[in-house]
Amino acid sequence: MSRSRRNVVIVGTQWGDEGKGKIVDWLTEDVHGVVRFQGGHNAGHTLVVNGKKTVLRLIPSGILHPQVTCYIGNGVVLSPTALLSEIDELQSGGLSVEPRLRVSLACPLILPVHVALDQAREAAKGEGKIGTTGRGIGPAYEDKVGRRAVRLLDLKNPGQLREKLTDLHRLHNHVLCGLLGARAVSESETFDALMAIAPRLLALSADVPTLLEREMARGHRLLFEGAQGTLLDVDHGTYPFVTSSNCVAGAVGAGAGIGPGKIDYVLGLTKAYATRVGAGPFPSELHDATGEHLAKKGNEFGSVTGRPRRCGWFDAAALRRSIQINGVSGLCITKLDVLDGLSEIRMCIGYESPEGPLEVLPFGADAVETCRPIYETWPGWDGSTAGLRRWADLPSEAQRYLMRLSELVGAPIAMISTGPDRDETILMEHPFADG
């Protein structure tokens, strides 16, 4: 018996930057709420609607739809200043944000001392740096699991907030000054700054799990939006060159406060090729003119940091790992049009390693570094796929490439993005269709 799909999770299946923002925005036409469940303001989602570009960092991508309520779950580490700056930027453009945004009271806050720690640690590592954005994400998550985080709800009690800040700064300033040779961060300035914006932040705060439960009880559709990508997951990615949170579909339960049985469909996003920002292993990376072509045509620069992305061929072994971990129901292939005009296209189908042939990406950076990709070569296509909206209109070579991709990873293709604009999409199966 089929049943209506109400709750859909969107995850990146590579190293992030798969184009999640556009797809969330596209699917939001059919939902009542969009929920961000992990990460911080170190990754951005770029949306293009009627040629106008909007970059979102913390606020869920559904905010451009006036009928939608957006939620930031407790799995997100929240920079108060970044959030308010983003709200002001959107509202200055005429968008109503604050009446439609709810932020979990349990969100840990990113404080100036976290930013100072992040930057000082990275500088001290020299050649061994991970490639962090230096925005305090990692140190904030460390305080969360260390049970010393300042959370949004702490702004309700100034006395308790002052005590927590005292303990936090005593610890972190010792590291900053004594071990890293950096400046101490002022506890009193942090307290005053938080108190100044507390009324506005608390007006946005809510018991997000309860609100989501009410939405589900009404039969409303919800879309859960992740940041980064599976291969940057702190447990399952190319450790230690990973982010500080769980980026996989299973993180929705902890990061938004809903039971895993409530999830009806997992949409995994992957580019038609592969990219990576920052340091870390990347088996199919290209160091030639083709890699430069992909970077230039794909505009492969970070939407928040502006950092150039490393480019390479599509990696089926890496995607198999992501599908395994996320329980992907269907794939959305993005940036197909970037491959237009190439005489031939290669895809990594597995690896040679000291342990023998591998069909999935191994755990840990050291193991991945020993892998040598095995490639298949496919003919490219002369015609343009940019902006196409029907499968039948794709060049036959592009169709065969996509069918082989789906066959290799064992997951059906639900959607294909053929350009940055919302409407430049081929729909094969709607994630919210009755299953």
Side-chain angles (χ1 to χ4, degrees), residues 44-58:
H45 290 165
T46 301
L47 291 72
V48 180
V49 182
N50 298 324
K52 181 182 178 182
K53 184 169 79 170
T54 300
V55 178
L56 300 173
R57 303 162 189 86
L58 277 169

Side-chain angles (χ1 to χ4, degrees), residues 353-372:
S353 79
E355 298 179 359
L358 296 176
E359 294 186 352
V360 297
L361 190 76
F363 288 115
D366 291 343
V368 178
E369 290 284 11
T370 65
C371 291
R372 183 169 166 272

Side-chain angles (χ1 to χ4, degrees), residues 70-186:
C70 289
Y71 304 87
I72 296 178
N74 58 276
V76 174
V77 284
L78 188 75
S79 166
T81 54
L83 176 65
L84 295 182
S85 175
E86 190 170 330
I87 290 173
D88 291 341
E89 181 181 341
L90 292 170
Q91 293 190 154
S92 68
L95 192 67
S96 173
V97 177
E98 290 181 81
R100 298 188 293 116
L101 179 63
R102 297 292 175 265
V103 184
S104 173
L105 282 161
C107 279
L109 302 185
I110 299 175
L111 305 173
V113 72
H114 295 133
V115 178
L117 274 171
D118 205 0
Q119 295 176 358
R121 285 175 179 171
E122 191 76 343
K125 288 177 180 176
E127 293 297 321
K129 64 177 60 176
I130 292 175
T132 174
T133 58
R135 293 170 185 250
I137 312 298
Y141 272 118
E142 289 175 32
D143 279 347
K144 172 185 175 178
V145 298
R147 295 167 297 201
R148 54 179 175 263
V150 172
R151 301 197 293 176
L152 184 55
L153 60 86
D154 291 321
L155 301 189
K156 292 184 175 184
N157 188 331
Q160 178 176 300
L161 174 64
R162 173 76 82 173
E163 291 178 4
K164 295 187 77 168
L165 288 174
T166 297
D167 292 341
L168 205 61
H169 283 75
R170 184 184 297 119
L171 172 66
H172 291 327
N173 279 333
H174 174 72
V175 174
L176 281 169
C177 301
L179 298 179
L180 298 173
R183 289 184 179 182
V185 176
S186 171

Side-chain angles (χ1 to χ4, degrees), residues 282-294:
F282 185 2
S284 66
E285 183 174 9
L286 291 165
H287 301 279
D288 58 13
T290 302
E292 294 175 5
H293 168 81
L294 294 175

Side-chain angles (χ1 to χ4, degrees), residues 17-49:
D17 309 308
E18 298 93 351
K20 294 181 287 295
K22 169 198 165 170
I23 302 303
V24 171
D25 176 62
W26 191 90
L27 288 171
T28 299
E29 294 183 1
D30 299 298
V31 305
H32 295 83
V34 180
V35 188
R36 173 79 178 272
F37 61 89
Q38 50 82 214
H41 65 302
N42 54 334
H45 290 165
T46 301
L47 291 72
V48 180
V49 182

Side-chain angles (χ1 to χ4, degrees), residues 272 314 316 319-320 331 333 336 339 347 349 376 378-379 381 391-392 394-416 428:
F314 171 78
L319 186 55
R320 287 190 200 105
L331 292 171
I333 311 298
L336 178 67
L339 299 181
M347 59 172 70
I349 61 172
E376 280 186 357
W378 288 77
W381 49 87
W391 172 267
L394 289 173
S396 58
E397 296 86 355
Q399 292 180 1
R400 286 195 289 270
Y401 175 77
L402 292 170
M403 288 188 289
R404 178 56 174 159
L405 185 157
S406 175
E407 177 187 36
L408 280 170
V409 301
I413 294 175
M415 304 172 69
I416 303 162
M428 311 288 284

